[in-house]
Amino acid sequence: MSALGRLVVIVVFEGVDLLDITGPPEVFSLVRREAGEAADYRVVLAAATMDPVTTGAGVRVLPDTTFEEAAAGRIDTLLVPGAVEADRERGVRAVTDPSVVNWVRELAGGARRVASVCVGAHLLAAAGLLDGRRATTHWSTARQLAAEHPEVEVDADPIFVRDGAVWTGAGISACLDLSLALVADDLGEAVALRVARQLVMYLKRPGGQSQFSVPLEPVSGSRRVEDLRHHVLRCAGGPLTVADVAAHAHVSERQLTRIFKAELGMTPGAYIESVRVERARQRLETTDDTLEHIAGTCGFGTVDTLVRAFRRRLGTTPTEYRRRFRT
């Protein structure tokens, strides 16, 4: 394989998510149109053999090279997608093939940077590439990743996370956001934004943008906690406090905190704030309400409190969020 250009190697294997391996090449191909020869990305699909690979969607793809051949070349970016299997309750679990994990580990050793797409983070973690690092994955498998790899600092909220030369992205359409972020890292924000326009994406979302809304979070198996979650959803627009929720549950604030951490992985205060941020996001996206009105009706009280919550949760301000996401 030629050493010219930025070689992007995408790992493919049986059951891989189709969009994970087709989305990034679209981004890199458009970069050449926008930036000319300065881009010079070359994207190849690498697999164990040259035989067709059947994706999770049932569509077959043809590899361009083998893992062995790719490992002998000079890789600029290694992209690692993932695969899932469904359980009887319609939930999903990320699956990892030990042979693919071994190849990912070897290929990563010769790459300038490594990025996982969606549940591909599970392959990176199994290969030891996320040890001691902050990482994200699709929200539906974040708890699995944290449970199986406690040495990884799993953050289920961002669209993508960069920790040194290792990038991890959420799923599934977030593969485009991750790819655009890689382009911006190479060629600058202006080029990435032009590509986003060509993709008819409203904008290039920042990595701190939340990948899911509060009601979509994994629910608790406890009826009591589900009742508390719905109580928060009903009352978060008013002056709801942790003490109020504890009183509703007939437990102490300390006991309530233990319950929320065990069942939802966060404190009651953090959950209340996340619900309020979600409400504010929806108002910012769909209304012309002032920040003062949004802060008052979403339970923040003051604009300063609203701004601090947005910076903490989304890494941006309400004004910037509205500018980017107003529909």
Side-chain angles (χ1 to χ4, degrees):
M1 296 173 62
S2 170
L4 299 176
R6 293 183 175 90
L7 178 61
V8 180
V9 174
I10 302 179
V11 174
V12 296
F13 46 88
E14 290 295 310
V16 68
D17 286 334
L18 179 61
L19 187 59
D20 290 357
I21 63 175
T22 57
E26 287 290 342
V27 172
F28 294 119
S29 67
L30 287 172
V31 174
R32 192 176 189 88
R33 182 192 304 176
E34 295 297 324
E37 295 298 323
D40 201 20
Y41 288 103
R42 257 188 333 120
V43 182
V44 299
L45 303 181
T49 70
M50 295 297 288
D51 295 333
V53 172
T54 303
T55 66
V59 176
R60 295 196 302 169
V61 297
L62 292 174
D64 300 298
T65 187
T66 65
F67 291 146
E68 186 174 5
E69 291 172 344
R74 188 173 181 180
I75 302 172
D76 179 80
T77 304
L78 179 68
L79 282 181
V80 183
V84 298
E85 60 182 6
D87 58 29
R88 293 180 180 178
E89 285 72 40
R90 297 185 181 179
V92 295
R93 284 186 59 81
V95 294
T96 54
D97 182 331
S99 64
V100 176
V101 170
N102 290 335
W103 275 115
V104 166
R105 186 183 298 111
E106 181 166 345
L107 291 167
R112 178 175 70 89
R113 66 184 172 192
V114 179
S116 66
V117 183
C118 197
V119 297
H122 292 259
L123 288 167
L124 294 191
L129 301 174
L130 297 183
D131 290 0
R133 296 183 186 273
R134 177 170 168 258
T136 192
T137 186
H138 191 276
W139 62 266
S140 64
T141 67
R143 288 189 177 185
Q144 177 191 351
L145 182 63
E148 295 179 351
H149 302 281
E151 65 279 8
V152 180
E153 182 187 344
V154 180
D155 187 344
D157 202 36
I159 287 177
F160 62 85
V161 169
R162 179 184 186 178
D163 192 327
V166 179
W167 303 61
T168 50
I172 297 177
S173 61
C175 67
L176 301 178
D177 299 283
L178 174 63
S179 301
L180 287 167
L182 296 174
V183 170
D185 190 50
D186 293 336
L187 302 172
E189 289 284 344
V191 173
L193 286 169
R194 293 204 300 271
V195 173
R197 285 194 289 269
Q198 290 295 331
L199 289 165
V200 199
M201 294 175 68
Y202 179 65
L203 47 85
K204 186 180 74 65
R205 295 183 290 181
Q209 169 64 30
S210 179
Q211 63 167 297
F212 61 92
S213 58
V214 170
L216 292 179
E217 290 178 4
V219 297
S220 165
S222 165
R223 177 176 296 181
R224 178 169 66 168
V225 174
E226 282 305 286
D227 173 69
L228 291 175
R229 287 180 70 246
H230 288 292
H231 177 70
V232 172
L233 290 171
R234 287 192 304 268
C235 304
L240 183 70
T241 66
V242 174
D244 295 333
V245 180
H248 179 80
H250 304 292
V251 297
S252 68
E253 291 185 42
R254 180 175 297 181
Q255 178 65 13
L256 183 73
T257 298
R258 285 198 291 265
I259 292 171
F260 265 69
K261 283 187 174 180
E263 294 287 340
L264 299 178
M266 64 177 71
T267 65
Y271 188 78
I272 293 171
E273 182 179 82
S274 70
V275 170
R276 286 171 170 161
V277 167
E278 177 62 20
R279 289 190 176 186
R281 284 173 54 189
Q282 293 174 359
R283 295 288 185 88
L284 290 166
E285 291 172 8
T286 60
T287 75
D288 293 319
D289 292 348
T290 64
L291 294 187
E292 289 79 4
H293 182 74
I294 292 173
T297 57
C298 293
F300 291 103
T302 68
V303 173
D304 285 344
T305 304
L306 171 67
V307 171
R308 287 197 297 271
F310 262 64
R311 287 194 180 280
R312 186 161 46 244
R313 294 258 160 203
L314 304 179
T316 188
T317 65
T319 300
E320 176 65 10
Y321 185 91
R322 169 171 272 168
R323 186 185 71 79
R324 289 174 175 267
F325 296 99
R326 180 76 167 87
T327 58

